[in-house]
Amino acid sequence: MSPEKGINIDPQTKASSSSNNKKVVYHTKDFNLWYGDNHALKDINLSFNEKEVTAIIGPSGCGKSTYIKSLNRMVELVPSVRTSGVISYSDKNILDKTFKVEDLRTRVGMVFQKPNPFPKSVFENVAYGPKIHGIRNKKVLNEIVERSLRGAYLWDEVKDRLNENAYGLSGGQQQRLCIARCMAIEPEVILMDEPTSALDPKSTLHIEELVQELKKEYSIIIVTHNMQQAARISDKTAFFLNGEVVEFDKTDTVFTNPADSRTEDYISGRFG
Amino acid sequence: MEHMNANQVQNKMSTRIRKNSIAKGLFFLSTIFGLIILVILLVRVFSQGIGWLDWNFLTGRLSTDPEKAGIMGAFLGTAWMMLVIIPVTFILGVGTAIYIELYAKKGRVQSIIQTNIANLAGVPSIVYGLLGLTIFVRLMDLGNIVLAGGLTLSLLIMPILIVSAQEALRAVPQELSEASYGMGATKWQTIKKIILPAALPGILTGSILALSRAIGETAPLTVLGIPALLIPFPEGLFDSFTALPMQIYYWTLDAVLTEEYAYLAAAAIIVLLGLMLLLNSIAIIIRNKFQQRL
């Protein structure tokens, strides 16, 4: 398991050679992260294209959640976090202390592991984002709420109960509500941190179909511990192990012809 | 059955069940003990006081003649004091809790502040009386007016409110604030729109407890030198005043000389309990309203 040189086969060149025409939204260069003394992410080099689904897979504790939370600086909520390197979004280094984190999170939405609707009505949940950004016009809000709920394929199920508490929805509906809530701020990128791990198979399927639709308009980065899911829905896959990127390539390649033996071991279920 | 001997199990069965009943009985008795004492107290207070509780008593001024004496003055004093205590304690207490829980960096300084607040909640009330006497009555030269009394009692219940508000804030699931931050909300927007509304029922429960404590406190008021014999009604925050518990205290003392004063004290206790119930129900109604909205 010695970290050999050349394992991080320069991800940019490989990734961009396959899709030259697509714009890069996120670019991570030599990114390191520590929780206190624990070196959780080591020399991460990755870049993500717009309007693609990138899956991040890896065993528990490999740093995949930490990494996706670094992309919108949510990881800073944990005290004692230190970072080095560069994560650039639209060519700006988001780790720069002068970069406004509120601005970043307005352009990069996030869907969490556990559905986390606010204890408010369905309407208020979706309208929350636009409201904090200063939209007060009732008509505009109505439009945003309807469009977002339709976008998340939830409108037909909740249109008659917009004023009911979101906690009354099923788990799968709640997660789609969270996706609608995220879409309401019209982000460019949606980060998803194991969005189906708390859901039943049917709701999972719903979300996966939704991701396929969302991809037309958004760039999606999704952390998943479900390899079949990664294979089904993503264009590219990054495999994390012990805080390092072992492999990053087109999903087909990663799953059928991985370059690294550890990737093969993981996807064939030999560990993790 | 290899290890479980059927006879042995049967023999033990009735003993085990009996022990269960004994345990249940003991816990029931300890509950009943406190309740019985409370009922005795209430029955005595009501039987002695209810006859004296008439319109004249509620609205009358203090008098040397027990037949004519009323508690309007003391009632107004307590009410005015509440007008100081409620906003001061709530704003400063919740503000402190928000700062410690949500803004302050977790570290040595924060833990020192935290330990001290927890300790302050256990300081005897008479010490707060001395504090109030030194700072408000003497140093700020307010004299023994409503404002001084109210501020002193605010200090007294502040630690209780801070600790319970902190607990309520901490109980708000992290996922909710993450969702809010994740959409580009600032910390203050997240606190105002997500954390505080979710924590409010818990904060109000803490406030009810703290307020009930303040309304019945006597010791700090005696130290402040609040008079018991006061004929004029207080009309504002800067007037001299007396409070219901003070009135009860002095009437109870006077009962040694004139028996009627004991009945007056009992009647005043009923008023105090009623006021306490009223404030608690208001807080509970507000709390339920917020819980429904969630």
Side-chain angles (χ1 to χ4, degrees):
Chain A
M1 289 290 278
S2 68
E4 298 162 50
K5 271 281 169 204
I7 283 166
N8 291 335
I9 313 158
D10 193 293
Q12 286 99 275
T13 38
K14 269 206 119 178
S16 54
S17 63
S18 57
S19 50
N20 276 324
N21 48 346
K22 287 200 168 161
K23 216 179 84 192
V24 173
V25 283
Y26 259 116
H27 190 79
T28 309
K29 197 163 161 25
D30 301 329
F31 180 65
N32 284 275
L33 184 142
W34 294 264
Y35 290 119
D37 293 331
N38 176 15
H39 197 174
L41 290 174
K42 298 161 193 160
D43 294 323
I44 307 292
N45 286 287
L46 285 175
S47 58
F48 305 114
N49 293 335
E50 67 167 1
K51 294 179 186 173
E52 273 187 4
V53 178
T54 308
I56 297 176
I57 59 169
S60 302
C62 69
K64 54 191 194 304
S65 272
T66 299
Y67 177 65
I68 201 172
K69 282 183 177 153
S70 304
L71 292 177
N72 67 348
R73 285 179 48 186
M74 207 61 126
V75 76
E76 285 170 14
L77 292 179
V78 182
S80 80
V81 157
R82 279 185 303 128
T83 58
S84 76
V86 173
I87 298 180
S88 61
Y89 176 77
S90 300
D91 298 326
K92 287 200 190 76
N93 183 11
I94 61 162
L95 299 178
D96 195 281
K97 283 297 161 203
T98 57
F99 194 95
K100 283 196 207 75
V101 74
E102 287 83 3
D103 184 27
L104 173 68
R105 291 175 187 159
T106 308
R107 296 159 70 179
V108 179
M110 187 163 204
V111 176
F112 297 82
Q113 196 166 352
K114 238 177 69 190
N116 58 351
F118 298 127
K120 298 171 184 281
S121 70
V122 172
F123 183 93
E124 285 301 326
N125 261 279
V126 184
Y128 182 82
K131 275 186 174 173
I132 59 169
H133 292 290
I135 294 174
R136 290 272 170 270
N137 187 316
K138 188 79 186 154
K139 217 179 122 216
V140 177
L141 285 175
N142 282 336
E143 260 176 51
I144 293 176
V145 169
E146 176 167 350
R147 198 187 53 213
S148 307
L149 286 170
R150 281 189 192 281
Y153 293 101
L154 192 59
W155 176 254
D156 290 330
E157 290 162 61
V158 299
K159 65 180 175 209
D160 300 320
R161 43 203 282 216
L162 290 177
N163 293 318
E164 285 173 34
N165 195 311
Y167 281 19
L169 302 179
S170 73
Q173 287 174 326
Q174 287 188 8
Q175 193 62 304
R176 276 180 287 148
L177 177 66
C178 292
I179 294 175
R181 183 175 65 182
C182 178
M183 290 161 72
I185 55 168
E186 298 173 15
E188 294 150 14
V189 180
I190 298 181
L191 308 174
M192 298 182 161
D193 186 5
E194 301 193 26
T196 61
S197 63
L199 302 181
D200 60 76
K202 191 159 168 265
S203 308
T204 301
L205 191 69
H206 265 117
I207 304 275
E208 288 184 7
E209 286 167 359
L210 179 54
V211 169
Q212 291 305 308
E213 280 301 312
L214 293 176
K215 173 179 136 173
K216 291 172 189 159
E217 284 186 55
Y218 305 91
S219 316
I220 293 169
I221 301 163
I222 179 169
V223 165
T224 175
H225 60 220
N226 179 336
M227 282 170 288
Q228 285 75 30
Q229 184 171 67
R232 277 195 299 267
I233 63 174
S234 68
D235 301 301
K236 296 222 181 70
T237 297
F239 172 52
F240 275 58
L241 187 65
N242 298 326
E244 292 177 59
V245 180
V246 171
E247 190 152 352
F248 177 51
D249 210 326
K250 283 165 131 181
T251 300
D252 284 348
T253 316
V254 171
F255 279 90
T256 55
N257 190 19
D260 194 288
S261 60
R262 289 172 294 169
T263 314
E264 195 175 355
D265 286 350
Y266 181 69
I267 57 177
S268 56
R270 251 166 269 173
F271 72 96
Chain B
M1 278 195 203
E2 253 183 84
H3 298 290
M4 294 279 286
N5 181 315
N7 276 334
Q8 209 182 332
V9 168
Q10 277 310 316
N11 288 342
K12 277 277 173 202
M13 187 75 72
S14 51
T15 325
R16 290 194 300 125
I17 291 172
R18 200 167 336 112
K19 274 186 184 164
N20 185 43
S21 316
I22 293 171
K24 183 186 165 192
L26 278 175
F27 295 131
F28 178 70
L29 273 180
S30 46
T31 312
I32 279 298
F33 180 77
L35 274 181
I36 287 175
I37 302 283
L38 185 70
V39 167
I40 291 174
L41 183 81
L42 284 179
V43 167
R44 263 189 75 83
V45 163
F46 272 87
S47 62
Q48 288 188 336
I50 204 83
W52 290 73
L53 197 64
D54 51 22
W55 189 246
N56 178 50
F57 178 77
L58 287 176
T59 58
R61 284 169 197 275
L62 200 59
S63 162
T64 44
D65 177 4
E67 291 291 339
K68 287 187 193 157
I71 50 145
M72 197 56 185
F75 181 85
L76 284 175
T78 292
W80 277 113
M81 232 175 18
M82 283 293 134
L83 278 186
V84 177
I85 295 173
I86 294 172
V88 169
T89 319
F90 201 78
I91 293 168
L92 291 183
V94 176
T96 309
I98 288 177
Y99 179 76
I100 299 177
E101 210 49 50
L102 301 167
Y103 280 102
K105 282 224 164 65
K106 308 274 173 280
R108 265 181 70 87
V109 181
Q110 194 238 14
S111 80
I112 290 171
I113 296 177
Q114 185 68 67
T115 318
N116 276 304
I117 288 174
N119 284 337
L120 282 177
V123 170
S125 58
I126 198 150
V127 178
Y128 282 95
L130 289 168
L131 184 76
L133 181 71
T134 315
I135 295 179
F136 303 125
V137 178
R138 298 273 161 78
L139 212 61
M140 291 168 68
D141 206 18
L142 291 175
N144 42 16
I145 57 168
V146 171
L147 189 63
L151 289 175
T152 305
L153 292 187
S154 285
L155 284 184
L156 168 72
I157 61 171
M158 193 93 68
I160 308 173
L161 186 73
I162 293 173
V163 171
S164 61
Q166 273 185 283
E167 270 160 23
L169 290 171
R170 218 174 299 145
V172 177
Q174 177 86 32
E175 293 93 53
L176 294 185
S177 20
E178 278 181 358
S180 174
Y181 291 135
M183 273 180 291
T186 60
K187 195 158 201 166
W188 171 232
Q189 282 178 319
T190 304
I191 291 173
K192 193 173 58 176
K193 297 190 167 215
I194 303 298
I195 301 179
L196 265 187
L200 202 64
I203 294 176
L204 284 175
T205 310
S207 314
I208 295 171
L209 289 174
L211 211 62
S212 308
R213 167 111 193 255
I215 205 176
E217 273 297 339
T218 324
L221 296 181
T222 37
V223 176
L224 288 185
I226 305 301
L229 282 171
L230 195 73
I231 310 294
F233 288 165
E235 282 167 352
L237 301 182
F238 296 94
D239 284 358
S240 295
F241 74 108
T242 189
L244 279 173
M246 291 293 297
Q247 196 70 69
I248 293 167
Y249 174 62
Y250 280 106
W251 271 337
T252 314
L253 288 183
D254 291 342
V256 183
L257 305 170
T258 319
E259 206 197 343
E260 279 84 357
Y261 282 126
Y263 305 130
L264 285 177
I269 289 173
I270 298 174
V271 174
L272 184 62
L273 286 176
L275 188 63
M276 215 131 103
L277 273 179
L278 181 77
L279 281 175
N280 285 3
S281 3
I282 293 173
I284 288 169
I285 289 167
I286 298 175
R287 188 181 70 191
N288 289 349
K289 223 182 126 186
F290 270 94
Q291 262 168 344
Q292 273 168 12
R293 252 186 29 192
L294 295 183

